[in-house]
Amino acid sequence: MVEKECCCVGSEETGCVEAVQFNLCYGDNHVIKNVSLKFPRETITAIMGPSGCGKSTFFRAINRMNDLIPSVKTQGEILFDGENVYSNKADIYKLRRRIGMVFQRPNPFPMSILDNVAYGLRIHRLAKGSELEDRVVEAIKSVNLWDEVGDRLKANAMELSGGQQQRLCIARALAVEPEVILLDEPTSALDPVSSAKIEEQLAEFIGKYTTIIVTHNVAQAARVAQYSAFMMLGKIIDFGPTKEVFTNPKNELTERYLSGKFG
C-alpha cells in the first residue's frame, strides 16, 4: 500500500501535489513511466526536457486533461491534498477549479475582456454582482494588465496583443482562486518583452500558489523556478532545488541537456 505522504514543505495546508508510481499510456505507447515526484507547496517547479519526453503529458495528467483522449490509460496515483485525483470519487469539475491551467498559446474566449475573466466565477457560481466585478478587477490587476485594459473592459479580448491575451488567460485562471497553477510553456509563443512581463508576474506567485511550469527554455527555468525536474523518455531523471540541479546535476543526461548537447 502506498503511503500518502503530504508533499508540503513544513506545512499541512492545501495545495499539495504528488505523483506516486504514475504511468500513462496512449494505447500501447507507454509515455509516462513510473514517475514519483512531490511538488513543494507554494513554490515554482519547472519541468524541463527535450520535445517528446512526456513533460506536457505528465503535466496535463495532474488535473486530468488527458481524459479527453479516448486511448489514455493510467496506473498509479496523482495525489492532491492526499487524495488520488484518479479515484472514481474524484470531482473533476471541482478539481479543475482548484488546479488552474494556462496553455502554450493564448486561448481567450471570443467575448469581452471582462467576460473572459468572469467566466469561471460565473460557471462555478463563486460570485455575482459587485463582488464578481471586484474579483475581475483584482485578477486583472494581479497580472499587471489593468493599466493597459482597465478603460476598455467591454472590448473583445481577441483584439489584445498575444502577450496581453496570455496575461488575460492567467487572470482568468487566478480569478477562481485556485491552489495550484499549471503553466504549459506559457511564453513560447510570445515576444521577449511579453515573456519578461509574465516571468515578472511569476515571481509574485511564490508563497501564494503551488506553481508548475513546463518549459523547454533552460534559462527561463533558472530564472523563475525554485525547484527543477529534468524529464527524459517519460521518466524523471533529476529533481531538486534549481541551483543544485543546474550546478551539480545527479545524472550525466541532465548535464548534457543543460549544456545544450541535445534537446
Side-chain angles (χ1 to χ4, degrees):
M1 181 176 179
V2 177
E3 181 184 357
K4 296 184 178 181
E5 179 184 355
C6 182
C7 68
C8 300
V9 176
S11 174
E12 294 296 331
E13 297 181 25
T14 59
C16 300
V17 178
E18 177 184 2
V20 181
Q21 298 175 355
F22 185 74
N23 293 266
L24 185 146
C25 299
Y26 293 132
D28 295 328
N29 184 15
H30 195 175
V31 180
I32 307 300
K33 302 173 182 177
N34 206 38
V35 167
S36 292
L37 181 63
K38 300 177 183 179
F39 294 94
R41 192 179 72 86
E42 294 185 354
T43 63
I44 300 175
T45 299
I47 303 176
M48 306 176 293
S51 298
C53 73
K55 56 187 185 294
S56 289
T57 296
F58 172 55
F59 178 83
R60 291 194 301 268
I62 294 172
N63 70 346
R64 294 187 56 170
M65 291 297 293
N66 294 316
D67 287 11
L68 303 174
I69 303 171
S71 63
V72 163
K73 296 178 289 186
T74 64
Q75 185 180 44
E77 296 180 307
I78 290 181
L79 306 178
F80 179 45
D81 292 348
E83 299 293 331
N84 183 16
V85 306
Y86 284 87
S87 165
N88 291 333
K89 298 180 181 179
D91 184 337
I92 301 177
Y93 181 77
K94 184 177 179 180
L95 174 73
R96 290 177 182 160
R97 181 183 71 79
R98 298 178 65 197
I99 302 179
M101 188 166 185
V102 177
F103 297 92
Q104 181 175 3
R105 292 189 176 277
N107 63 336
F109 303 141
M111 55 180 67
S112 73
I113 294 168
L114 187 151
D115 287 337
N116 261 272
V117 182
Y119 185 82
L121 294 169
R122 287 172 174 150
I123 65 169
H124 292 291
R125 299 180 181 178
L126 297 175
K128 59 183 179 179
S130 61
E131 181 186 357
L132 183 144
E133 292 180 5
D134 289 344
R135 288 178 66 168
V136 167
V137 170
E138 181 181 358
I140 293 174
K141 287 182 176 179
S142 75
V143 296
N144 297 321
L145 192 57
W146 180 257
D147 290 344
E148 300 167 45
V149 305
D151 60 347
R152 52 187 177 119
L153 295 182
K154 294 185 178 181
N156 193 316
M158 307 304 290
E159 298 173 1
L160 299 176
S161 69
Q164 289 173 329
Q165 288 183 4
Q166 190 68 308
R167 281 185 284 155
L168 182 70
C169 292
I170 296 173
R172 187 174 66 199
L174 297 182
V176 298
E177 298 182 347
E179 295 146 49
V180 178
I181 301 290
L182 307 177
L183 300 160
D184 191 359
E185 300 199 28
T187 64
S188 64
L190 304 181
D191 62 87
V193 174
S194 297
S195 297
K197 287 183 178 180
I198 288 178
E199 288 189 12
E200 289 173 9
Q201 182 59 38
L202 291 178
E204 298 182 20
F205 285 11
I206 301 168
K208 295 180 181 178
Y209 310 103
T210 301
T211 306
I212 305 168
I213 179 171
V214 164
T215 181
H216 67 277
N217 187 328
V218 170
Q220 182 176 72
R223 287 192 298 267
V224 306
Q226 288 74 59
Y227 293 85
S228 290
F230 172 59
M231 199 167 192
M232 183 77 176
L233 298 176
K235 298 179 180 180
I236 297 296
I237 302 299
D238 216 331
F239 173 73
T242 296
K243 185 176 181 179
E244 290 184 15
V245 171
F246 274 73
T247 60
N248 188 28
K250 300 172 185 176
N251 191 291
E252 182 183 354
L253 285 172
T254 312
E255 184 176 5
R256 292 178 61 198
Y257 177 76
L258 294 174
S259 63
K261 293 181 180 177
F262 71 92

